[in-house]
Amino acid sequence: MSIRQTRPSDPRRVIPVREFATATLSRQEFLDWLGGDRTDLTGTPYQMVEPSRRDRQVVLLYRPISQSALDQPIVAIPIEEISEFFAFMATYVASYKPFSAFHRVMPLELVEEFENRRPLEAEMIGSVAKLVAGGVVAEHFLRERSRVDLAGSVLSTAKSTLSATLGSAVIAGYEQIVIAWISDQWASVNRRDRAIFGSAATTDILAIWNLLFSAIRDEASPSVYHGSPAAQAVSIFLRTAMETGVTPDILSGLRVVSRGEIEPEKLLTASREDRIRSFNRFVAGMNERSAVGLEEPFMAGLLLAIVGNGSFDMLRSARELAERSPVSIIWFGICAALFEESNILTTANCLGRRLVRDLCSTADPFGPPRADLSLFEYRAMTREPEALAQMVTGNADALRIEILPGVDTYVARGSIDRERRLNEDYNLMADSFREIRLVVDRVTRRMDLTSDYRQRDLYVDDAKPRRRR
């Protein structure tokens, strides 16, 4: 999904706002409101927002009925003006830096998608958060180059994974087309992880969370399964296992995924040695078949989870699988979290419990922002790495960036400092080359001035040539 950019005179620029009250202000009126001079400002419900006047406009989105004294409107700006808006605020409003750390800002063109979101019911968030935490821990294991002991992990590093971002988008209730757009935005700011996993793995992770979305919502379009009975069987298994846990009855429906090679329902009661043999046999056949899709990686991850009854200690034995099929490791994390005996909450020194805690405490979109800044202000500030480096943040190691309300990611500050150092190194090198060029030019000029005299010193005009005797 791409954000539609439209000119002020384009009739498609009219944005229907149904759920929120709105107020459209000029830049000067917005500054007055920000300074407290427009305390009487109220939103108009159910109107068509049409920012078509010459003066650049700001749209405020209000909750129809205020629920808290901390309620504040969302600032909506047309996408083609949003970078200029942040530059304007940085110039004229020095008391809010960065501005989106204090007021939530989003593109006006995404308001409709924001309205159409359907957040999960409170009773479902806990179980879904455990699945998300399982996927996050597994992806974090892959990122750390299969480091077995994750006990010393930094929470922000785990939260910067793609699974954490897409999982929070599922909990926040965004539609699949928006989740795909969020995946693209994550990839644009987490270039290091994209280089580690590759674009194919990023696409596979997005497919995992699209399938989980359909399972959680108990709905799916034909495009989700691509006509695959195996993918549909996986979705049914996930939806049922979230309610009942992993049982032999629901495992029997996965025979179509294992292609008859393994009877998954019998593995729960089999010995540990038989489970390991079945897992090894299935993984060995993955390379021989060279299948494309998510069914076989899912089955490999599930079999590894069955071997350990949902224990994340099985990651110690997953290095070879991680090299063959990294996506299988993420499926292992999700499937392991479905077991009643799973240690997802206590693994990695309670990293999973911390993740579940934060996923369950969803942010109010009309409350004060929790992130350091929004995605679009971050992009505007990347042109000035020094300003990003000096920004006050909530974490010493990373910037917390809000992609959309309820969906955050983290960007390592080291990558920002690295780019700044590279720019400084390039500037120093350029200055050094300029100084060398000046020295060379100066020496060349002096040699040109003195070369004629030195040639005459070698030969005297009145001197007679010597004769040989």
Side-chain angles (χ1 to χ4, degrees):
M1 185 188 90
S2 59
I3 301 179
R4 184 184 66 205
Q5 298 188 18
T6 55
R7 297 180 178 179
S9 58
D10 194 322
R12 293 178 302 168
R13 190 181 174 94
V14 177
I15 309 295
V17 180
R18 303 178 182 89
E19 300 294 330
F20 311 128
T22 62
T24 304
L25 307 177
S26 67
R27 289 280 178 89
Q28 185 57 51
E29 292 170 339
F30 177 70
L31 291 178
D32 294 340
W33 171 81
L34 198 62
D37 296 336
R38 296 292 301 272
T39 56
D40 58 338
L41 186 65
T42 57
T44 303
Y46 315 118
Q47 74 172 34
M48 305 291 285
V49 176
E50 185 178 4
S52 59
R53 290 186 290 171
R54 291 183 178 179
D55 187 17
R56 298 182 185 274
Q57 293 182 334
V58 178
V59 178
L60 301 182
L61 305 177
Y62 289 86
R63 200 197 311 263
I65 301 176
S66 179
Q67 299 179 1
S68 169
L70 297 177
D71 275 5
Q72 60 183 36
I74 297 174
V75 180
I77 308 293
I79 183 62
E80 72 273 12
E81 299 175 7
I82 200 164
S83 295
E84 188 274 336
F85 169 79
F86 285 121
F88 172 84
M89 298 305 295
T91 303
Y92 295 102
V93 185
S95 54
Y96 293 92
K97 286 189 177 182
F99 180 77
S100 56
F102 306 94
H103 292 272
R104 187 165 276 112
V105 181
M106 66 181 298
L108 181 63
E109 289 80 357
L110 284 178
V111 170
E112 188 172 2
E113 282 73 16
F114 176 62
E115 284 187 313
N116 291 337
R117 66 193 178 93
R118 294 175 295 164
L120 291 181
E121 292 80 4
E123 58 271 14
M124 288 189 62
I125 292 179
S127 58
V128 175
K130 288 178 64 177
L131 297 187
V132 175
V136 171
V137 171
E139 187 177 337
H140 184 46
F141 169 80
L142 289 173
R143 169 190 281 174
E144 295 299 313
R145 304 290 186 177
S146 302
R147 182 166 62 90
V148 174
D149 185 12
L150 297 176
S153 300
V154 178
L155 185 61
S156 61
T157 306
K159 286 185 175 182
S160 66
T161 57
L162 180 57
S163 292
T165 302
L166 298 185
S168 60
V170 170
I171 293 176
Y174 289 101
E175 297 296 329
Q176 285 180 303
I177 188 172
V178 183
I179 293 175
W181 177 83
I182 290 171
S183 176
D184 292 339
Q185 308 316 303
W186 177 91
S188 69
V189 298
N190 288 278
R191 297 176 183 176
R192 171 181 172 271
D193 284 358
R194 189 171 185 178
I196 292 174
F197 295 121
S199 58
T202 302
T203 303
D204 290 340
I205 294 173
L206 173 61
I208 289 175
W209 292 104
N210 277 333
L211 190 61
L212 276 167
F213 174 91
S214 66
I216 293 167
R217 296 291 179 183
D218 196 9
E219 60 186 28
S221 61
S223 61
V224 174
Y225 301 136
H226 302 285
S228 170
Q232 188 172 6
V234 172
S235 179
I236 294 173
F237 164 79
L238 293 170
R239 181 167 59 250
T240 309
M242 280 190 290
E243 299 173 357
T244 64
V246 180
T247 63
D249 291 339
I250 62 174
L251 284 174
S252 62
L254 294 176
R255 290 186 180 181
V256 64
V257 183
S258 63
R259 300 183 179 182
E261 299 178 8
I262 296 174
E263 295 178 338
E265 68 276 12
K266 294 184 179 180
L267 291 180
L268 285 181
T269 56
S271 65
R272 184 180 178 84
E273 290 74 15
D274 289 340
R275 297 181 189 184
I276 295 175
R277 279 194 292 269
S278 297
F279 167 74
N280 290 335
R281 185 170 67 252
F282 186 86
V283 172
M286 289 178 65
N287 287 346
E288 298 175 1
R289 289 184 291 268
S290 299
V292 177
L294 57 82
E295 295 86 0
E296 288 199 341
F298 160 79
M299 200 66 204
L302 175 61
L303 290 176
L304 183 60
I306 291 176
V307 170
N309 284 326
S311 172
F312 278 78
D313 295 337
M314 294 307 301
L315 286 174
R316 301 175 183 272
S317 308
R319 289 182 175 178
E320 184 177 352
L321 179 60
E323 294 176 358
R324 290 188 180 186
S325 176
V327 179
S328 297
I329 300 300
I330 298 178
W331 272 123
F332 160 78
I334 294 171
C335 293
L338 291 169
F339 284 76
E340 293 183 2
E341 304 90 342
S342 175
N343 63 342
I344 175 58
L345 297 179
T346 57
T347 189
N349 202 16
C350 291
L351 173 62
R353 191 180 295 277
R354 293 286 298 273
L355 291 168
V356 171
R357 179 203 67 180
D358 293 346
L359 288 166
C360 290
S361 57
T362 55
D364 180 4
F366 290 95
R370 298 180 181 180
D372 295 317
L373 74 171
S374 72
L375 169 69
F376 297 94
E377 187 166 14
Y378 169 76
R379 286 178 174 166
M381 293 183 68
T382 50
R383 303 167 188 170
E384 302 178 3
E386 191 66 30
L388 274 176
Q390 295 179 357
M391 191 178 69
V392 176
T393 61
N395 191 296
D397 302 316
L399 295 176
R400 182 177 179 178
I401 298 174
E402 181 179 86
I403 299 177
L404 282 178
V407 181
D408 298 344
T409 189
Y410 286 79
V411 176
R413 298 198 67 163
S415 61
I416 301 170
D417 295 338
R418 192 181 309 114
E419 292 180 1
R420 180 169 57 86
R421 287 195 299 269
L422 287 175
N423 290 333
E424 292 176 352
D425 292 342
Y426 288 144
N427 291 332
L428 288 174
M429 290 176 63
D431 292 340
S432 299
F433 285 131
R434 281 192 291 268
E435 291 179 3
I436 294 172
R437 181 60 184 270
L438 290 174
V439 172
V440 171
D441 290 343
R442 189 180 303 116
V443 171
T444 303
R445 286 196 299 270
R446 290 184 177 180
M447 291 180 64
D448 291 340
L449 292 173
T450 60
S451 60
D452 294 339
Y453 298 103
R454 290 182 177 179
Q455 290 292 332
R456 285 195 292 269
D457 289 344
L458 295 176
Y459 301 98
V460 181
D461 292 341
D462 57 351
K464 295 182 179 181
R466 295 182 179 182
R467 295 179 180 178
R468 293 183 180 179
R469 293 181 181 180

